Amino acid sequence: MLKTLVLGTRASALALAQTDLTRAALLREFPELEVRVETFVTRGDKKMDISLIQQSEQGGKGLFTKELEDALLTGIIDVAVHSMKDLPGHTPPGLEVTAVLERAATADMLISKHSGGLRGLPAGVAVGTSSIRRARQLQWLRPDLSIQEHRGNVQTRLRKLGESATLGAIILAQAGLERLDFAVSAGSLAFEAFTFHTASLAEDFLPAIGQGAIALQSRSDRHEITEVLVRITHEQTFIATRAERELQRLLAGDCTLPVGVRTTINGAELAMSAVLFCQPGETPRTSEARGSITEPEQIAARLCAGLHG
């Protein structure tokens, strides 16, 4: 029986909160297990000058994951805890996403100085995001708005919004906000000296691949680790995110790919809808596919074919 498990994570407040959820899930199943945590600073944490909105040769591939994956391969840690939406589509040889915790809300949230949600934003106001997917969806729905690169952890982004004379709103994931104990469903968010309006974008935006899911990655040859992790995986989330990551792989995309996906499971049926933004100003491509939960990769392949059709 495994006695000690070492989790690896980024050092941000959100990453640590997700690691706490992982640790709690492990201890519910294995009360005698000693769970230790090692923190890492990734290239994405260091290189705040890299634009995640602009397509470039730098791209976003592995910006927030490579250091954790290297630590897995060298045996420094046993499990890497990731926000699944940060993972590139191609897993390095020797590693696998072994388990996924139950998915939280997948919606994007508008955090704004203005009431009325997306339609209440004044023409020309600046909206901050670090996501090319969010930027493209925003440009499609409200081409009159100005998009600003907006990076940093959740608290830093909220502080920048409050202090900015030009920034009118930002977009963040509902799951991350709620994991940090920000209550957003009531329509407002208080942070330090600031109070913002909040509005769900669930009706307007399709979420990122893997949004709301915590991925647990381990080495393929560490069977004793796999046996532990499969005990805490959430089966429906695992199936849904398998389909989404297969779509990501087929599109040869990393976490900066401007694609939105919504995946639902109803009984034995899995349904997916997707939107893909190619060039700014072009009409986005959309596709839907459905089928048995036993064939998530095949459903993703049909969805991908529809996007290219």
Side-chain angles (χ1 to χ4, degrees):
M1 173 64 187
L2 194 68
K3 294 185 177 180
T4 303
L5 194 72
V6 182
L7 304 178
T9 176
R10 294 167 62 201
S12 72
L14 177 55
L16 291 172
Q18 294 179 161
T19 303
D20 286 344
L21 290 172
T22 304
R23 184 176 186 274
L26 286 164
L27 293 179
R28 281 194 296 270
E29 285 291 324
F30 305 97
E32 303 302 317
L33 183 65
E34 179 187 356
V35 181
R36 295 194 285 111
V37 176
E38 295 286 342
T39 60
F40 296 82
V41 178
T42 68
R43 179 168 169 258
D45 298 314
K46 297 174 185 175
K47 298 288 290 182
M48 297 301 292
D49 58 326
I50 294 176
S51 172
L52 300 183
I53 293 180
Q54 297 176 3
Q55 296 277 14
S56 70
E57 62 181 6
Q58 294 168 315
K61 196 180 295 292
L63 273 178
F64 300 103
T65 60
K66 186 178 186 302
E67 287 77 5
L68 295 173
E69 292 176 334
D70 289 346
L72 275 177
L73 290 169
T74 55
I76 295 173
I77 61 174
D78 300 313
V79 180
V81 182
H82 301 285
S83 291
M84 181 169 274
K85 67 178 183 177
D86 288 340
L87 283 172
H90 294 272
T91 302
L95 300 182
E96 61 185 356
V97 176
T98 313
V100 184
L101 299 189
E102 184 173 4
R103 198 170 207 166
T106 62
D108 291 306
M109 296 293 297
L110 184 74
I111 316 298
S112 178
K113 296 175 181 176
H114 308 276
S115 61
L118 186 61
R119 289 153 190 82
L121 293 175
V125 75
V127 180
T129 179
S130 64
S131 161
I132 188 171
R133 172 191 59 86
R134 289 171 179 158
R136 293 285 180 84
Q137 292 194 88
L138 196 60
Q139 288 166 337
W140 177 249
L141 294 169
R142 287 289 306 269
D144 58 298
L145 299 177
S146 171
I147 311 299
Q148 284 190 11
E149 183 88 28
H150 189 71
R151 292 192 56 193
N153 62 39
V154 170
Q155 293 87 342
T156 298
R157 295 190 201 195
L158 292 171
R159 188 173 299 113
K160 286 180 178 178
L161 172 62
E163 294 174 349
S164 173
T166 58
L167 200 59
I170 61 175
I171 302 174
L172 296 171
Q174 180 179 345
L177 288 163
E178 292 180 341
R179 284 172 180 150
L180 290 171
D181 294 325
F182 289 110
V184 295
S185 58
S188 65
L189 184 155
F191 176 72
E192 296 181 347
F194 311 108
T195 300
F196 306 111
H197 300 279
T198 63
S200 172
L201 297 176
E203 296 300 317
D204 298 300
F205 283 25
L206 290 186
I209 287 170
Q211 187 151 314
I214 298 171
L216 306 180
Q217 189 182 40
S218 65
R219 278 172 42 173
S220 306
D221 62 354
R222 297 288 305 278
H223 303 298
E224 75 281 15
I225 305 297
T226 299
E227 289 176 5
V228 167
L229 294 182
V230 295
R231 291 273 295 274
I232 66 168
T233 198
H234 186 261
E235 194 60 31
Q236 284 198 342
T237 302
F238 192 73
I239 291 169
T241 54
R242 269 177 58 192
E244 293 176 17
R245 283 183 52 74
E246 176 65 5
L247 175 66
Q248 184 180 25
R249 187 190 69 80
L250 292 170
L251 291 171
D254 60 25
C255 60
T256 66
L257 188 71
V259 60
V261 182
R262 180 170 289 122
T263 306
T264 57
I265 293 178
N266 185 10
E269 183 183 72
L270 183 148
M272 302 180 75
S273 56
V275 58
L276 176 64
F277 294 84
C278 297
Q279 296 299 322
E282 284 188 4
T283 301
R285 303 174 185 177
T286 60
S287 180
E288 295 183 354
R290 63 184 63 237
S292 168
I293 58 172
T294 62
E295 53 172 20
E297 286 81 10
Q298 293 91 326
I299 297 169
R302 294 197 294 272
L303 188 71
C304 185
L307 290 173
H308 288 306

